[in-house]
Structures are given as C-alpha cells and as structure tokens.
Amino acid sequence: MRRTQLFMPTLKENPSEAQIVSHRLMLRAGMIRQSTAGIYSWLPTGYRVLQKIIEIIREEQNATGAQELLMPTIQSADLWRKSKRYDDYGKEMLRITDRHGRDMLYGPTNEELITDIVANELNSFRELPKNLYHIQWKFRDEVRPRFGVMRGREFLMKDNYSFDLNYEGAKHSYNKMFVSYLRTFSRMGLKAIPMAADTGPIGGDLSHEFIVLADTGESEVFCDQELINMKPPGKDIDFTLNLQSIVDDWTQYYAATDEKHNHDNCPIPKDELVTARGIEVGHIFYFGSKYSDSLGAKIQNSDGELVSIEMGSYGIGVSRLVGAIIESSHDDKGIIWPESVAPWIVGLINLNADDMSCNEICESFYELATRNGVDILYDDRVDRAGAKFADMDLIGLPYQIIVGPKGLKEGFVELKDRADSKVERHNVDEMSSWILSKTRN
Ligand code: ATP
Ligand code: MG
C-alpha cells in the first residue's frame, strides 16, 4: 500500500476524550473513529489489525476441531423468555420492536440461539461432541462505555459453544478451549493468565477468565508469581489427547479475579502473591444443562434415554484485543505491533521523494515486496523526513526500511527495528533478500 493512497488520518496531538494509551494511539494512528458513545468505525489500518486477530483466532479454533458458523445479530425475544434471561439481562440488552410489534433484541451473546439450533437438529449421542463458533458483533448497552474499543457498546466477539453427552466429555471440551486460548493469545504477543472466575449458581471450578496484566485494566486480579513466567504450549498440541495435565500445570498455581479472591483465606503467602490490574480478553465457562434444560436440547444416550446436552461457552473479546495488545506493547512514540497482528510488517520510508535514486530503490523494494506477498506500507509522500519518522513510529509497524540520498551514495539503506530502535545498514541486495524473508506463508 502506498501512503499517498491510504486512508489513514493520523493525528499529531493527543485527543482529549481518550483516557488510556490504547484509545489515544488508536485514534492518533487513524485506526478508529467514534460514531457515537461506545460505537466505532474501523478505518482501514484498524480493520487490517482486526482481520489479523480474527485469522489467528480462526486458525486456533479450527485446530481444536471447532466449526465456524454465523448466527445473526438480531434475535427473537421468545428464546430469551424461555431461558428466563429476557428480564434478567436488564438494561444492557438493546430491545427492538419490529413492524408487527414482535419483540426482538440485538444479541449480547448467543447461548439461547445456538441451543435452539442444536435442539432442533441433534438427536443421538453419536452426533456428539460438537463445538460451534462464530465471530460476530454483539451489543451491550454498557452503563459506562469507555476506553475506546476496550469497553464498547458494539463489539466483536468470538463465541463458541460445546455440546457433549456427559460431564467427562464437557470437561474435555473445556480443557481444549483452555489450552487453545493459551496458544491463541500468545500468538498475538500477549501473556494472558487463566484465572479462576466466579461460577455463580452453576458451581464447580470450570470457569476461567484470561487476563492480560496492564495498569489500565478494569479489574483487580491476584496470582502466584510463578504464573508470570509460565510458557504457553507449542503448536504441536494434539487436541484429541487428554489435556488435563497441561491444564493442571497452570491451575496448580493460585490465580483469581477480584470476584473470587478472598484476602483472608488466600492459600499462598503474601510475598508470592502478585496483585495487579488486568484486562479480561477471554472467558471460558462450563454450565452443564442450564440452557439445554430450558430450551429442550435433549439427546438419546446409548441406553435410549433422553438426556439434556452438557454445554459450555467460550468467549474472546476480539475488538477489545486490539486495545489490549497496544496497552501491553507501546512506547512514548507510539504502538509497537507484534509481527503476527501488525497491519503491515514493514514500513518503507523514502527520505527524499524528489530524489531520483531514492525513488528508484524504493520503487524496486516496494515492487519486490508486493509481488511476493510481503505486507508493506510505502511512505511515498513529499514531506519532511521528521514527519515521516514520527508517523511511522506512531503506527508501529515492526520494521522500517529507510532510504535516503546520503546512504545510497555510500551504498546502504537502513533497517530499523521498531521495538528496540536498533538500526542496521544493508546494501540493496541484502535488503532485497531480507524483504523476501518476510513473505507471508
Ligand atoms: P466484562 O466483565 O469485561 O464486562 P463479561 O464477563 O461481560 O466481561 P463475557 O460475557 O464473558 O464478558 O464476554 C466475552 C468476552 O467479550 C470478554 O472476555 C471480553 O473480552 C469481551 N467483552 C465483554 N464486554 C465487552 C465490551 N463491552 N466491550 C468490548 N469487549 C467486551
Ligand atoms: Mg460485561
């Protein structure tokens, strides 16, 4: 993409409405614009990041055997009356009436709808287990939408739902998501710690929130020091095997959200306990037959008896993740994207767009990158070098290739690493090979 063609309205000044760094930087980098309170448009740069995050989530979900579908955003109130949540959900639910006077709503989550779908289609235990996910916009009329995409009213969520014959099966489905979430977040450069969360009337210990530690996090969390250094599982995980030992490795250490934590009977000594603030990026939850009972999702077991399907639900805050990644990866100049989610891998800066040799080399790099599927943003504007540097640092692409007339005379161009600001000098051939090494595979 050429910068002269790109719609990326960057801002030099900090917008006054933004209280936290990720919100400020997303506005300044021209990633989002607010449409109305808690509702945002994603401009091209922001949308590219969102798509990269979606793709990682999708790959990791598919690797577990979960299947993608797409449910609508608008749902009928009838299903929610059956589950008794129509009233319970309160003012967070956006209620709509259609022209025939029927009660509708904009889905804040999808347990009812998916249970209804499955109830109508699955009959025998032989058709289980199933795990279905979608990536869809949700609406919750939050009392205090704030911090940009972190607590929006309209936000993108990956939610999935597991269906099993019995508790053992449901627990395996739960463990799969536990392990899969560790991998998913680590691929985005995030350290997300699973923390025991409130299970409410369901009880048991199968509810974890995945929390990224950050000073600007909305919730207070408590965890064992050991968890901070844990390494997430690698990509060779076989999801058909028993995953209990991996889950046990993580859950052996204490970690709890503020709803669950109790100062007086905390099992670990004070000096090993980390008290921090955290951003909830995911939540996994086993709830047994709560929805299958009320919505009639029953199945015949091997003895021919009708039993309620055992369910769990698993959410990831897809749009919130964009903010969470920035909260954990930025400096005073701007964003520092991990390669896996960067809108472009490399930014090419032409220091003098009036100089023939600079243009020629930049064009050849740009053409090489584009032809070989390397995500590149070419700043081809006629502008001051200082402004280009500042802009490129602000939008945070992992690498910058800097081409200037002085360097070219001496036979080199520069490669700058955004994270540590280290600069290497390379001749044009070396730089071309480096570009090729960044080919998307
Ligand atoms: P919170 O406690 O932050 O309100 P929640 O418990 O209501 O979260 P879930 O219903 O479990 O959240 O939703 C799944 C995920 O969706 C959360 O882990 C979070 O990452 C994301 N999420 C929830 N509410 C919002 C919101 N208002 N804006 C952006 N993301 C959200
Ligand atoms: Mg909420």
Side-chain angles (χ1 to χ4, degrees):
M1 173 61 72
R2 288 173 193 272
R3 185 67 174 84
T4 46
Q5 284 162 19
L6 175 63
F7 179 59
M8 181 173 67
T10 55
L11 309 172
K12 284 199 188 64
E13 305 297 328
N14 276 327
S16 58
E17 73 264 32
Q19 300 164 35
I20 63 170
V21 68
S22 58
H23 189 193
R24 278 200 292 275
L25 289 174
M26 286 181 77
L27 290 168
R28 285 192 53 202
M31 295 175 66
I32 51 165
R33 285 296 180 263
Q34 182 175 293
S35 150
T36 181
I39 303 181
Y40 292 86
S41 296
W42 292 77
L43 307 190
T45 306
Y47 195 51
R48 285 180 74 95
V49 175
L50 199 60
Q51 294 297 338
K52 296 238 170 149
I53 292 174
I54 290 172
E55 209 35 59
I56 292 176
I57 293 173
R58 186 172 275 143
E59 281 175 22
E60 293 300 325
Q61 286 293 305
N62 293 347
T64 69
Q67 296 171 46
E68 186 168 14
L69 47 63
L70 184 60
M71 290 176 272
T73 53
I74 306 288
Q75 305 178 21
S76 154
D78 294 343
L79 289 177
W80 289 72
R81 291 203 174 96
K82 283 192 192 163
S83 72
K84 308 262 183 302
R85 284 212 293 181
Y86 191 62
D87 295 325
D88 292 355
Y89 225 93
K91 289 190 166 172
E92 264 193 27
M93 181 185 275
L94 180 65
R95 293 151 208 264
I96 308 162
T97 310
D98 74 9
R99 64 197 298 164
H100 305 291
R102 283 185 288 244
D103 293 331
M104 317 285 281
L105 56 99
Y106 195 118
T109 177
N110 280 59
E111 280 83 3
E112 283 77 359
L113 187 51
I114 192 84
T115 308
D116 184 57
I117 293 172
V118 163
N120 291 324
E121 311 304 334
L122 292 182
N123 303 303
S124 155
F125 70 97
R126 290 195 187 82
E127 296 167 274
L128 297 181
K130 286 280 176 295
N131 192 327
L132 303 170
Y133 74 97
H134 76 161
I135 298 170
Q136 178 64 290
W137 294 92
K138 305 287 186 283
F139 193 92
R140 294 181 187 175
D141 206 352
E142 302 275 355
V143 203
R144 263 193 354 127
R146 56 183 183 154
F147 301 160
V149 298
M150 298 270 251
R151 181 160 300 280
R153 293 199 296 164
E154 188 180 73
F155 61 96
L156 190 60
M157 196 200 283
K158 184 285 300 175
D159 42 324
N160 57 323
Y161 306 88
S162 62
F163 304 89
D164 284 275
L165 178 62
N166 51 32
Y167 178 75
E168 287 66 47
K171 187 162 187 187
H172 180 59
S173 295
Y174 184 90
N175 287 349
K176 277 204 225 181
M177 286 302 124
F178 188 107
V179 173
S180 162
Y181 275 28
L182 290 171
R183 280 194 43 71
T184 303
F185 298 126
S186 87
R187 280 187 62 185
M188 300 170 193
L190 286 176
K191 174 156 278 176
I193 302 174
M195 302 200 178
D198 206 10
T199 48
I202 304 290
D205 55 4
L206 296 187
S207 175
H208 286 89
E209 287 175 4
F210 285 73
I211 307 273
V212 173
L213 301 186
D215 295 339
T216 48
E218 284 186 294
S219 34
E220 189 167 38
V221 294
F222 307 85
C223 76
D224 192 314
Q225 182 69 48
E226 291 290 329
L227 278 167
I228 314 266
N229 308 317
M230 293 277 290
K231 291 266 169 300
K235 68 160 178 280
D236 47 350
I237 292 286
D238 181 347
F239 282 97
T240 60
L241 299 181
N242 189 341
L243 303 168
Q244 193 61 49
S245 66
I246 304 177
V247 174
D248 291 344
D249 281 348
W250 288 78
T251 52
Q252 66 177 308
Y253 300 112
Y254 182 78
T257 61
D258 52 357
E259 289 164 352
K260 181 95 175 171
H261 179 72
N262 184 333
H263 288 283
D264 300 327
N265 55 22
C266 176
I268 58 168
K270 271 219 160 58
D271 58 327
E272 285 164 32
L273 185 73
V274 178
T275 302
R277 301 205 66 83
I279 302 166
E280 181 192 325
V281 288
H283 188 181
I284 60 178
F285 197 81
Y286 160 79
F287 47 72
S289 58
K290 181 173 176 197
Y291 297 96
S292 44
D293 281 340
S294 54
L295 291 150
K298 292 191 189 300
I299 204 148
Q300 228 165 36
N301 69 13
S302 55
D303 298 328
E305 297 157 344
L306 271 188
V307 294
S308 289
I309 301 179
E310 287 278 309
M311 290 177 59
S313 75
Y314 317 90
I316 290 183
V318 184
S319 46
R320 177 180 286 183
L321 272 169
V322 182
I325 293 169
I326 297 174
E327 288 295 326
S328 40
S329 186
H330 66 269
D331 61 16
D332 52 6
K333 298 195 195 79
I335 304 167
I336 304 173
W337 290 115
E339 267 186 62
S340 57
V341 298
W344 293 273
I345 299 295
V346 48
L348 174 61
I349 302 180
N350 185 345
L351 286 184
N352 189 346
D354 294 325
D355 182 286
M356 281 270 282
S357 59
C358 284
N359 285 346
E360 201 178 295
I361 296 299
C362 283
E363 288 295 334
S364 76
F365 286 160
Y366 181 65
E367 203 257 342
L368 181 72
T370 329
R371 190 156 32 88
N372 289 282
V374 178
D375 285 340
I376 191 168
L377 177 64
Y378 174 22
D379 192 342
D380 55 343
R381 294 174 300 175
V382 180
D383 202 344
R384 287 180 307 110
K388 293 188 174 187
F389 285 136
D391 231 38
M392 208 53 102
D393 281 347
L394 170 66
I395 66 168
L397 310 187
Y399 303 100
Q400 299 172 9
I401 295 175
I402 302 156
V403 178
K406 262 205 229 128
L408 278 188
K409 262 195 204 106
E410 293 175 39
F412 69 85
V413 297
E414 290 182 329
L415 175 65
K416 179 176 140 183
D417 186 311
R418 173 67 181 85
D420 59 15
S421 295
K422 283 213 180 87
V423 177
E424 291 172 3
R425 290 180 169 186
H426 292 289
N427 66 36
V428 171
D429 286 346
E430 288 163 353
M431 202 65 252
S432 301
S433 323
W434 182 90
I435 291 174
L436 289 179
S437 75
K438 293 293 169 192
T439 301
R440 254 184 276 128
N441 35 29

